[in-house]
């Protein structure tokens, strides 16, 4: 799973995701969960309500986010431009997306069903 990372001035690292907070303990929240690395630990925090969902060792953040993603429905489609696979946690199908790898717009002609080979 490719999560976007960015550095901030305070030497913390933020890993942005599209994991819906509503699927992890806050059914009425519209926010997404982000990992925030501070030194040797990381917090998984909602970008809308600022709730801390989990705290993990920094080296386990990507693994934890991937495990959380795998608990959700995940729609997938291959970009015809760069051939990378786009994953959309929380969705059962995709009709269009902007490829996070090459930035091209893609209309999905044949959706990949969960469990299908990509």
């Amino acid at each position: 799973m490719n999560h976007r990372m960015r550095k901030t001035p305070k030497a913390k690292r933020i890993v942005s995701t599209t994991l819906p907070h509503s699927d992890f303990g806050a059914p009425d929240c519209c926010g997404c969960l982000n990992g925030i690395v501070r030194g040797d630990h990381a917090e998984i925090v909602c970008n809308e309500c600022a709730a801390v969902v989990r705290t993990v060792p920094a080296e386990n953040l990507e693994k934890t986010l991937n495990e959380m993603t795998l608990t959700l429905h995940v729609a997938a489609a291959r970009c015809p431009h760069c051939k990378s696979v786009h994953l959309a946690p929380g969705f059962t199908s995709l009709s269009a997306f902007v490829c996070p790898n090459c930035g091209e717009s893609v209309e999905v002609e044949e959706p990949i069903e969960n469990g299908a080979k990509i």
Side-chain angles (χ1 to χ4, degrees):
M1 179 87 204
N2 291 329
H3 302 288
R4 285 186 238 168
M5 285 188 269
R6 68 180 189 267
K7 295 227 182 216
T8 62
K10 295 181 183 178
K12 63 183 176 181
R13 181 173 56 109
I14 298 175
V15 180
S16 300
T17 79
T18 56
L19 289 169
H21 189 195
S22 60
D23 286 344
F24 295 95
D28 296 329
C29 183
C30 64
C32 291
L33 301 177
N34 293 322
I36 302 176
V37 178
R38 293 184 175 100
D40 62 351
H41 76 281
E43 295 175 336
I44 299 173
V45 181
C46 178
N47 68 349
E48 182 69 23
C49 70
V52 176
V53 175
R54 291 188 191 168
T55 300
V56 298
E59 66 269 10
N60 293 346
L61 178 60
E62 287 287 335
K63 179 182 180 214
T64 302
L65 292 172
N66 289 338
E67 289 171 349
M68 293 171 74
T69 298
L70 291 173
T71 67
L72 303 173
H73 288 286
V74 178
R78 185 175 301 280
C79 175
H81 307 286
C82 69
K83 307 300 183 211
S84 69
V85 175
H86 174 66
L87 300 175
F91 291 87
T92 56
S93 66
L94 288 172
S95 58
F97 65 95
V98 174
C99 179
N101 189 51
C102 69
E104 293 289 331
S105 296
V106 176
E107 285 190 42
V108 178
E109 293 179 19
E110 294 182 35
I112 299 172
E113 299 298 324
N114 282 341
K117 288 187 179 181
I118 298 173

